[in-house]
Amino acid sequence: MDENTREKITLPAGIHAEYTHGNIILTKGGKNVQKHLASPSVNVHAEGTEITFTAVNERRNTIAILRSFAAHTHNLIGGLEKGYTYKLAVVHSHFPMNLKIKGDILEISNYLGEKNPRLSKIVGETKVEIKGKDITVTGNNVEHVSQTAANMEKATRDPKKDQRVFQDGIYITQKGAAA
C-alpha cells in the first residue's frame, strides 16, 4: 500500500489520546473531548503522542473516510488547545425578545409577540452567555458549539414570513477558534 492509505497525526505536547471501542478520547489538563470514529475500512491506532489511521484498501470512498477521521481529529485537537466561539446577534424591530437559560435549554419568549416561548437546545458541555443583544457560545467541541448556535438560529426562523421584510430573529455573526 502507498502513502495515500495512511494518515499519521502527531499530538501537541500535553495532549493524550486513547482509542477504545470506536471512540477516540483526547485529554489535556482535565479537559477532554471525544468522537465516535469507527469504520470497518479504516483501522485506528493511538499510541503515545501519535494517532495512525490506516485504510484497508485503496478505494476512493475508503480514502475519503480516512481523511474525514483525520479532519475530525484535528478539530478535536483545536478544541482542546484553543476552543471554539460563535457569536450571535439578537435582532428585533417591534417586540423585544427575552432570553433565559434554563439548564440545557435556551428559552426565547415574546418572539414576534407570541405567547408561548420558543425553545433551543444547548448541546453537550457548551457554555452560552447572554449580554444584551449579543450571545456568545463557547466550548471545546466544534460540533456541539456549532449545533447549539444553529439551534438558536433555527428556533427563530419562520418559513411563512419573508426574511427580507421580517428580519427579527437570532443570527450567527462570527464563528471560529476562541481568541
Side-chain angles (χ1 to χ4, degrees), residues 23-49:
N23 291 318
I24 188 161
I25 303 167
L26 300 180
T27 56
K28 178 182 180 181
K31 298 186 293 187
N32 69 359
V33 289
Q34 68 177 4
K35 175 93 177 134
H36 184 74
L37 298 176
S39 173
S41 57
V42 176
N43 297 322
V44 181
H45 185 70
E47 184 176 308
T49 61

Short mmCIF file of all heavy atoms in Angstrom, two decimals, residues 23-49:
data_model
loop_
_atom_site.label_atom_id
_atom_site.label_comp_id
_atom_site.label_asym_id
_atom_site.label_seq_id
_atom_site.Cartn_x
_atom_site.Cartn_y
_atom_site.Cartn_z
N ASN A 23 -14.34 4.80 19.92
CA ASN A 23 -14.33 6.18 20.43
C ASN A 23 -12.91 6.66 20.61
O ASN A 23 -12.10 5.98 21.26
CB ASN A 23 -15.06 6.29 21.77
CG ASN A 23 -16.54 6.07 21.61
OD1 ASN A 23 -17.14 6.57 20.67
ND2 ASN A 23 -17.13 5.32 22.52
N ILE A 24 -12.61 7.85 20.07
CA ILE A 24 -11.31 8.46 20.31
C ILE A 24 -11.53 9.54 21.37
O ILE A 24 -12.44 10.35 21.27
CB ILE A 24 -10.69 9.02 19.02
CG1 ILE A 24 -9.26 9.48 19.29
CG2 ILE A 24 -11.52 10.14 18.42
CD1 ILE A 24 -8.43 9.62 18.05
N ILE A 25 -10.70 9.49 22.41
CA ILE A 25 -10.81 10.44 23.52
C ILE A 25 -9.48 11.16 23.65
O ILE A 25 -8.44 10.52 23.83
CB ILE A 25 -11.15 9.72 24.84
CG1 ILE A 25 -12.45 8.93 24.69
CG2 ILE A 25 -11.26 10.71 25.98
CD1 ILE A 25 -12.71 7.95 25.81
N LEU A 26 -9.52 12.48 23.54
CA LEU A 26 -8.32 13.30 23.72
C LEU A 26 -8.47 14.08 25.02
O LEU A 26 -9.52 14.68 25.26
CB LEU A 26 -8.14 14.27 22.55
CG LEU A 26 -7.98 13.65 21.16
CD1 LEU A 26 -7.82 14.74 20.12
CD2 LEU A 26 -6.82 12.70 21.11
N THR A 27 -7.43 14.08 25.84
CA THR A 27 -7.47 14.80 27.12
C THR A 27 -6.27 15.72 27.23
O THR A 27 -5.18 15.42 26.74
CB THR A 27 -7.46 13.83 28.32
OG1 THR A 27 -6.32 12.98 28.22
CG2 THR A 27 -8.71 12.98 28.36
N LYS A 28 -6.51 16.86 27.89
CA LYS A 28 -5.43 17.81 28.16
C LYS A 28 -5.84 18.64 29.38
O LYS A 28 -6.85 19.33 29.35
CB LYS A 28 -5.19 18.74 26.98
CG LYS A 28 -4.11 19.78 27.24
CD LYS A 28 -3.92 20.70 26.07
CE LYS A 28 -2.83 21.71 26.39
NZ LYS A 28 -2.63 22.65 25.31
N GLY A 29 -5.07 18.57 30.42
CA GLY A 29 -5.29 19.41 31.61
C GLY A 29 -6.68 19.30 32.21
O GLY A 29 -7.28 20.30 32.54
N GLY A 30 -7.23 18.11 32.31
CA GLY A 30 -8.55 17.94 32.90
C GLY A 30 -9.71 18.09 31.94
O GLY A 30 -10.82 17.72 32.24
N LYS A 31 -9.45 18.66 30.75
CA LYS A 31 -10.49 18.77 29.73
C LYS A 31 -10.38 17.58 28.80
O LYS A 31 -9.27 17.12 28.51
CB LYS A 31 -10.33 20.05 28.91
CG LYS A 31 -10.44 21.34 29.71
CD LYS A 31 -10.41 22.55 28.81
CE LYS A 31 -9.06 22.72 28.16
NZ LYS A 31 -8.92 23.97 27.40
N ASN A 32 -11.53 17.09 28.34
CA ASN A 32 -11.46 16.03 27.34
C ASN A 32 -12.54 16.22 26.29
O ASN A 32 -13.57 16.84 26.54
CB ASN A 32 -11.54 14.64 27.98
CG ASN A 32 -12.88 14.34 28.57
OD1 ASN A 32 -13.80 15.14 28.55
ND2 ASN A 32 -13.01 13.15 29.13
N VAL A 33 -12.26 15.74 25.10
CA VAL A 33 -13.22 15.74 24.00
C VAL A 33 -13.19 14.34 23.41
O VAL A 33 -12.16 13.66 23.43
CB VAL A 33 -12.89 16.79 22.92
CG1 VAL A 33 -13.15 18.19 23.41
CG2 VAL A 33 -11.47 16.67 22.43
N GLN A 34 -14.36 13.91 22.91
CA GLN A 34 -14.40 12.59 22.32
C GLN A 34 -15.27 12.58 21.08
O GLN A 34 -16.15 13.43 20.91
CB GLN A 34 -14.87 11.55 23.32
CG GLN A 34 -16.31 11.67 23.74
CD GLN A 34 -16.69 10.54 24.68
OE1 GLN A 34 -15.85 9.73 25.07
NE2 GLN A 34 -17.94 10.49 25.05
N LYS A 35 -15.02 11.60 20.23
CA LYS A 35 -15.76 11.46 18.99
C LYS A 35 -15.78 9.99 18.64
O LYS A 35 -14.80 9.28 18.80
CB LYS A 35 -15.07 12.28 17.88
CG LYS A 35 -15.65 12.13 16.52
CD LYS A 35 -16.66 13.19 16.26
CE LYS A 35 -17.18 13.06 14.84
NZ LYS A 35 -18.60 13.16 14.77
N HIS A 36 -16.93 9.53 18.14
CA HIS A 36 -17.05 8.14 17.70
C HIS A 36 -16.53 8.05 16.26
O HIS A 36 -17.12 8.62 15.34
CB HIS A 36 -18.51 7.69 17.78
CG HIS A 36 -18.68 6.25 17.44
ND1 HIS A 36 -18.30 5.24 18.29
CD2 HIS A 36 -19.18 5.65 16.34
CE1 HIS A 36 -18.56 4.08 17.74
NE2 HIS A 36 -19.09 4.30 16.54
N LEU A 37 -15.40 7.37 16.09
CA LEU A 37 -14.79 7.19 14.77
C LEU A 37 -14.59 5.69 14.55
O LEU A 37 -13.61 5.12 15.01
CB LEU A 37 -13.43 7.90 14.69
CG LEU A 37 -13.39 9.40 14.86
CD1 LEU A 37 -11.96 9.90 14.83
CD2 LEU A 37 -14.20 10.08 13.79
N ALA A 38 -15.53 5.06 13.89
CA ALA A 38 -15.42 3.63 13.64
C ALA A 38 -15.86 3.34 12.22
O ALA A 38 -16.90 3.82 11.77
CB ALA A 38 -16.28 2.86 14.64
N SER A 39 -15.07 2.55 11.53
CA SER A 39 -15.40 2.11 10.18
C SER A 39 -14.65 0.80 9.93
O SER A 39 -13.48 0.69 10.31
CB SER A 39 -14.97 3.15 9.15
OG SER A 39 -15.16 2.64 7.85
N PRO A 40 -15.31 -0.17 9.30
CA PRO A 40 -14.59 -1.41 9.02
C PRO A 40 -13.48 -1.23 7.97
O PRO A 40 -12.59 -2.07 7.88
CB PRO A 40 -15.69 -2.35 8.49
CG PRO A 40 -16.80 -1.47 8.09
CD PRO A 40 -16.70 -0.22 8.90
N SER A 41 -13.49 -0.13 7.25
CA SER A 41 -12.49 0.06 6.20
C SER A 41 -11.29 0.90 6.65
O SER A 41 -10.36 1.09 5.89
CB SER A 41 -13.14 0.69 4.96
OG SER A 41 -13.75 1.90 5.31
N VAL A 42 -11.32 1.42 7.90
CA VAL A 42 -10.20 2.22 8.41
C VAL A 42 -9.83 1.72 9.81
O VAL A 42 -10.69 1.62 10.69
CB VAL A 42 -10.55 3.73 8.46
CG1 VAL A 42 -9.42 4.52 9.09
CG2 VAL A 42 -10.85 4.25 7.08
N ASN A 43 -8.57 1.40 9.99
CA ASN A 43 -8.06 0.99 11.30
C ASN A 43 -7.48 2.20 12.00
O ASN A 43 -6.74 2.98 11.40
CB ASN A 43 -6.98 -0.08 11.15
CG ASN A 43 -7.53 -1.35 10.54
OD1 ASN A 43 -8.65 -1.76 10.83
ND2 ASN A 43 -6.74 -1.98 9.67
N VAL A 44 -7.80 2.35 13.29
CA VAL A 44 -7.31 3.48 14.09
C VAL A 44 -6.42 2.92 15.20
O VAL A 44 -6.79 1.96 15.88
CB VAL A 44 -8.48 4.27 14.70
CG1 VAL A 44 -7.97 5.45 15.50
CG2 VAL A 44 -9.44 4.73 13.61
N HIS A 45 -5.24 3.53 15.36
CA HIS A 45 -4.32 3.09 16.40
C HIS A 45 -3.74 4.33 17.09
O HIS A 45 -3.16 5.19 16.44
CB HIS A 45 -3.18 2.25 15.79
CG HIS A 45 -2.27 1.68 16.79
ND1 HIS A 45 -2.63 0.67 17.66
CD2 HIS A 45 -0.99 1.98 17.09
CE1 HIS A 45 -1.61 0.38 18.44
NE2 HIS A 45 -0.59 1.17 18.11
N ALA A 46 -3.97 4.44 18.40
CA ALA A 46 -3.44 5.57 19.18
C ALA A 46 -2.41 5.03 20.16
O ALA A 46 -2.71 4.15 20.97
CB ALA A 46 -4.57 6.26 19.93
N GLU A 47 -1.19 5.59 20.05
CA GLU A 47 -0.13 5.16 20.97
C GLU A 47 0.80 6.33 21.24
O GLU A 47 1.32 6.94 20.30
CB GLU A 47 0.66 4.00 20.35
CG GLU A 47 1.71 3.43 21.28
CD GLU A 47 2.40 2.22 20.68
OE1 GLU A 47 1.70 1.29 20.24
OE2 GLU A 47 3.64 2.24 20.64
N GLY A 48 0.98 6.65 22.50
CA GLY A 48 1.88 7.74 22.88
C GLY A 48 1.39 9.07 22.36
O GLY A 48 0.29 9.50 22.67
N THR A 49 2.22 9.71 21.55
CA THR A 49 1.85 11.03 21.02
C THR A 49 1.43 10.97 19.56
O THR A 49 1.46 11.99 18.87
CB THR A 49 3.04 12.00 21.16
OG1 THR A 49 4.14 11.48 20.40
CG2 THR A 49 3.44 12.18 22.60
#
